[in-house]
């Protein structure tokens, strides 16, 4: 006799009972859904507590004026050039410097200023090479000073694009030696700041935890003729405008005192007395006209 199980009886499973729902995150391990919700709640609470200490000031607008992806450049840093309407843009990835007009826009013309493939070479703009610089400064004449950290030197680019080495040229290795600029050495992590008031370059030598100073030449701290001429022209035009305005106001004030055709200045009381008729019924003006007719 063969015994058959009833249809309502099912085979017992050997698997363990189902566990609570868990959420697998992007890192190793699992976190229960309840724990994740508690964590998100804490983050939301912290964000609200921080925003209570913030003061948000409105009225500013952010806009993109230059897209490096379209121009195939990496605008790592940008500075205005003194005495010019240009900006200098540093592309540290390609070790290149560019110039762009002051009215930066998506249609601005970008011109290569100095640099090319990575390396170390002085000379004109076509042959100059840098090695991934990350900092530069500009003096009053428009010269550009480059912190060429990977080459352990400081370079100078004139307005015409000619590059020279002004510091670290004899050592060419990391260090913290002071003295004559060509014998000096720097770390591989430093940046430059131009201080026009005292005509120096300040070097923030992070790798050596030092602030260094390079005294520049006097001519490097003189404003370019274009900027001086522009300032003088502005003052001349302003002076002429003020003079014209003062003359116009004085003319309006003195107009009632001026007698036409004579140019004499008369007091208002004297002018009224001349307008009165004499014993014969003629005014002084009538007498004057009669004498003029006789002379004719």
């Amino acid at each position: 006799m063969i015994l058959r199980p009833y249809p309502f009886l099912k085979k017992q499973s050997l698997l363990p009972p189902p566990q609570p729902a868990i959420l697998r995150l992007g890192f190793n391990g699992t976190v229960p859904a309840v724990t994740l919700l508690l964590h998100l709640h804490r983050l939301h609470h912290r964000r609200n507590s921080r925003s209570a200490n913030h003061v948000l000031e409105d009225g500013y607008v952010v806009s993109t004026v230059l897209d490096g992806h379209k121009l195939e450049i990496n605008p790592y840093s940008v500075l205005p050039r003194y005495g010019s309407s240009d900006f200098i843009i540093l592309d540290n990835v390609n070790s290149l410097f560019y110039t762009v007009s002051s009215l930066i826009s998506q249609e601005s013309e970008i011109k290569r200023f100095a640099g090319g493939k990575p390396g170390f070479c002085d000379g004109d703009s076509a042959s100059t090479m840098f090695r991934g610089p990350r900092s530069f400064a500009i003096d009053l004449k428009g010269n550009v000073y480059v912190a060429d950290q990977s080459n352990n030197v400081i370079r100078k680019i004139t307005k015409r694009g000619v590059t020279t080495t002004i510091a670290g040229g004899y050592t060419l290795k990391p260090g913290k030696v002071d003295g004559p600029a060509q014998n000096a050495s720097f770390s591989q992590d430093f940046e430059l700041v131009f201080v026009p008031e005292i005509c120096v370059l300040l070097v923030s030598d992070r790798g050596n935890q030092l602030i260094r100073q390079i005294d520049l030449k006097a001519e490097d701290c003189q404003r370019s003729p274009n900027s001086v001429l522009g300032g003088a022209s502005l003052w001349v035009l302003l002076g002429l405008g003020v003079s014209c305005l003062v003359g116009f106001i004085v003319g309006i004030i003195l107009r009632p005192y001026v007698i036409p055709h004579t140019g004499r200045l008369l007091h208002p009381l004297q002018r009224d007395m001349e307008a009165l008729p004499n014993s014969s019924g003629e005014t002084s003006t009538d007498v004057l006209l009669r004498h003029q007719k006789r002379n004719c």
Side-chain angles (χ1 to χ4, degrees), residues 182-194:
Q182 298 297 353
N183 297 327
S185 57
F186 310 91
S187 70
Q188 291 189 327
D189 184 13
F190 67 93
E191 66 177 16
L192 304 176
V193 176
F194 172 64

Side-chain angles (χ1 to χ4, degrees), residues 36-87:
L36 178 61
L37 291 176
L38 291 175
H39 179 68
L40 294 176
H41 176 72
R42 293 192 190 100
L43 290 178
H44 179 71
H45 177 71
R46 291 176 183 175
R47 189 182 344 180
N48 291 339
S49 62
R50 291 176 182 175
S51 61
N53 298 326
H54 295 169
V55 179
L56 305 182
E57 182 178 353
D58 295 328
Y60 298 92
V61 178
V62 178
S63 60
T64 299
V65 296
L66 191 146
D67 190 346
H69 296 91
K70 296 180 179 179
L71 300 173
E72 297 183 354
I73 67 173
N74 179 25
Y76 184 84
S77 181
V78 57
L79 286 176
R81 178 190 280 180
Y82 292 100
S84 173
S85 60
D86 295 340
F87 282 83

Side-chain angles (χ1 to χ4, degrees), residues 13 15-16 23 36 46 50 73 101 138 144 200 212 220 235 255 259 271 291:
S13 175
L15 297 175
L23 180 65
L36 178 61
R46 291 176 183 175
R50 291 176 182 175
I73 67 173
S101 62
I138 305 177
V144 179
V200 300
R212 322 278 291 278
D220 295 330
W235 282 109
R255 185 177 180 182
I259 300 291
R271 183 185 58 189
H291 284 295

